[in-house]
Amino acid sequence: MKNIIEINHLSKSFGEVKAVQDLSFRVKEGELFAFLGVNGAGKSTTINIMCAQLTKDSGSIVIDGYDLDKNVDGIKRELGVVFQNSVLDGALSVYDNLQSRAALYGIIGDEFKSRLDELSELLDFKDLLKRSVSKLSGGQRRRIDIARALLHKPKILVLDEPTTGLDPQTRKILWNVISDLRKNEQMTVFLTTHYMEEAAEADFVVIIDSGKISAEGTPLELKNTYTGDFITVYGIDEATVKKFGYEYEPIRDAYRVSVPNTKAATELIIKYPEVFVDYEITKGKMDDVFLSVTGKKLVGGTEK
């Protein structure tokens, strides 16, 4: 797969604050790429530079072969962006919002109506077209935000915390749509999120902290590097768990034992076969990776 986004040595400062420091990474065509970090880590600054909303201090950005310094319009055609805060006009209807946006790309008349039909079917908002945006729920508005970003059939969909504040059902609907777009249109998705279960589905993850890359890799690579495995053992007492020689914590009717890797778990089971009657082994989660890499928990997009 070719690289559809190439960022090299990107830097941006605001006075004394170094928002992005010598950042370099690649995004492959068709991949779900997760870009993680607490608020203030540099995620939105990077996205705003990619979208030509902010100027960079140094470095280079090439998107689908277009150099940001030479062809901003080419890059804008390739990107569809769903910002953290909705950019829809609350006073206008859904139809008028989408029609005015489409016109900026020269999509008018029958071409607009055809695209609107496709998107309203895909994102299930045919019954909302005449309603003013200010009367929509958060989930409905988010669907229209995504439709707005998709009007011109971009190759890359940039989602800046797209599901924050949405109920689980609406989050599921949006992820089904995103999955369909990737499968049917080979769309590349560039995601920032503070829901670690969403990041766990990514093809590749970059974690940034204070404007620098702290870790990168597939979710599995990151879990293997930065977290161990956990064995949850049921129906045993604490004295038995202490014999294992590993850190543990009580959970409901079981103990959760932290081991460095699957090999260590296997050795423990072989050594104490009489104890491991009812148990399960799980890998660390992306939350554990993030905490290990940054020393912070990602909760609601903020540091804890």
Side-chain angles (χ1 to χ4, degrees):
M1 286 190 294
K2 72 167 189 174
N3 294 328
I4 197 162
I5 299 174
E6 297 185 1
I7 292 183
N8 290 303
H9 306 296
L10 184 68
S11 293
K12 175 69 179 177
S13 295
F14 299 98
E16 296 296 305
V17 179
K18 293 179 178 176
V20 175
Q21 302 183 60
D22 198 31
L23 201 62
S24 297
F25 61 83
R26 308 279 180 271
V27 180
K28 294 193 182 304
E29 191 170 29
E31 114 181 318
L32 172 56
F33 177 93
F35 195 47
L36 307 181
V38 296
N39 283 355
K43 306 186 305 296
S44 292
T45 299
T46 303
I47 288 173
N48 284 329
I49 294 170
M50 284 167 55
C51 302
Q53 303 283 311
L54 264 180
T55 55
K56 57 187 170 57
D57 293 341
S58 59
S60 68
I61 295 180
V62 177
I63 295 177
D64 199 28
Y66 295 111
D67 188 321
L68 181 67
D69 292 332
K70 297 172 184 167
N71 198 333
V72 172
D73 289 341
I75 284 178
K76 284 184 174 177
R77 280 196 299 274
E78 303 295 358
L79 295 176
V81 187
V82 179
F83 292 102
Q84 224 168 314
N85 299 314
S86 178
V87 290
L88 301 168
D89 188 327
L92 295 180
S93 69
V94 168
Y95 183 93
D96 289 344
N97 262 285
L98 295 177
Q99 185 182 43
S100 59
R101 180 65 184 176
L104 295 176
Y105 292 100
I107 304 167
I108 55 174
D110 288 343
E111 187 186 356
F112 168 67
K113 284 177 184 161
S114 170
R115 186 62 177 148
L116 184 64
D117 281 346
E118 287 173 19
L119 292 171
S120 60
E121 178 89 18
L122 180 70
L123 287 152
D124 189 23
F125 62 83
K126 279 188 176 168
D127 57 335
L128 302 176
L129 288 170
K130 291 179 181 173
R131 201 181 298 183
S132 70
V133 164
S134 62
K135 301 268 171 59
L136 301 181
S137 69
Q140 290 168 335
R141 192 173 302 164
R142 190 47 92 197
R143 279 185 272 159
I144 310 307
D145 277 321
I146 291 175
R148 177 187 177 278
L150 294 173
L151 278 165
H152 60 297
K153 297 188 177 178
K155 285 189 179 178
I156 303 160
L157 183 60
V158 179
L159 300 169
D160 194 4
E161 297 194 9
T163 57
T164 299
L166 299 185
D167 62 273
Q169 187 183 0
T170 306
R171 280 172 60 198
K172 189 167 186 284
I173 290 168
L174 292 185
W175 275 107
N176 286 342
V177 168
I178 291 161
S179 178
D180 285 348
L181 289 167
R182 291 186 62 219
K183 188 167 68 182
N184 300 327
E185 300 184 25
Q186 286 69 58
M187 186 174 281
T188 304
V189 177
F190 186 105
L191 169 75
T192 80
T193 182
H194 64 259
Y195 292 111
M196 287 294 107
E197 67 270 27
E198 293 178 351
E201 298 300 314
D203 297 302
F204 198 82
V205 177
V206 165
I207 298 174
I208 67 167
D209 195 20
S210 302
K212 296 177 181 172
I213 291 179
S214 295
E216 58 186 318
T218 66
L220 182 60
E221 286 167 352
L222 291 172
K223 287 175 193 175
N224 283 340
T225 304
Y226 293 101
T227 75
D229 287 9
F230 298 97
I231 317 174
T232 305
V233 193
Y234 299 91
I236 63 168
D237 57 31
E238 190 168 4
T240 305
V241 178
K242 279 184 175 171
K243 285 197 300 189
F244 298 161
Y246 290 110
E247 283 187 21
Y248 64 88
E249 59 175 328
I251 50 165
R252 295 184 304 280
D253 53 349
Y255 285 92
R256 188 173 185 247
V257 183
S258 300
V259 290
N261 48 45
T262 309
K263 182 171 179 284
T266 306
E267 287 168 354
L268 210 52
I269 292 161
I270 291 168
K271 188 174 180 183
Y272 300 102
E274 72 286 354
V275 174
F276 289 93
V277 177
D278 188 6
Y279 67 94
E280 55 191 342
I281 302 175
T282 53
K283 286 216 169 288
K285 294 186 167 62
M286 285 302 295
D287 300 77
D288 302 311
V289 170
F290 193 88
L291 181 60
S292 174
V293 168
T294 67
K296 300 159 190 165
K297 281 187 180 178
L298 203 54
V299 181
T302 57
E303 276 182 50
K304 292 286 179 189

